[in-house]
Amino acid sequence: MIKLQPVPNKKMKKLREEMGLTQAEVATKLEMPLSSYAMIEAGYRRNPRREVQKKIANFYSCTVDELFFDDDVHETRTLPEAKAG
């Protein structure tokens, strides 16, 4: 079984840092647990519930697609080749 590593949401982090905010400050403003916000930004939850996606996108004044699904949001990840046999 291949275990995938989390892929951070670079756009969320960039926007947050441009605003000069910590993850805790954003989580407080969004009225969500810090752990939930941090896991989304760190890539442990790549596709949170739609209402959470909308809430975060609205906070950053962008669309859900821009924040969660654009090509530049997540780093490109290649899977290791399967061994023949």
Side-chain angles (χ1 to χ4, degrees):
M1 180 163 91
I2 297 173
K3 183 177 181 183
L4 299 177
Q5 296 296 318
V7 181
N9 186 312
K10 297 184 297 183
K11 186 155 190 163
M12 280 179 67
K13 182 176 181 179
K14 180 181 179 229
L15 291 169
R16 177 180 57 77
E17 289 176 344
E18 286 175 357
M19 295 173 79
L21 298 172
T22 65
Q23 288 182 340
E25 291 169 327
V26 173
T28 298
K29 291 176 185 291
L30 293 172
E31 299 178 343
M32 65 188 301
L34 169 58
S35 59
S36 296
Y37 179 85
M39 289 179 73
I40 294 166
E41 186 177 295
Y44 288 98
R45 289 189 188 157
R46 287 191 64 184
N47 295 308
R49 291 187 327 261
R50 188 73 173 162
E51 68 256 17
V52 173
Q53 290 177 355
K54 287 180 184 179
K55 185 185 246 188
I56 296 171
N58 286 339
F59 178 79
Y60 287 122
S61 300
C62 61
T63 67
V64 169
D65 285 345
E66 289 171 328
L67 194 58
F68 290 97
F69 301 106
D70 274 358
D71 291 339
D72 65 338
V73 169
H74 298 288
E75 299 167 1
T76 302
R77 170 175 57 198
T78 57
L79 297 175
E81 291 182 27
K83 294 183 180 182

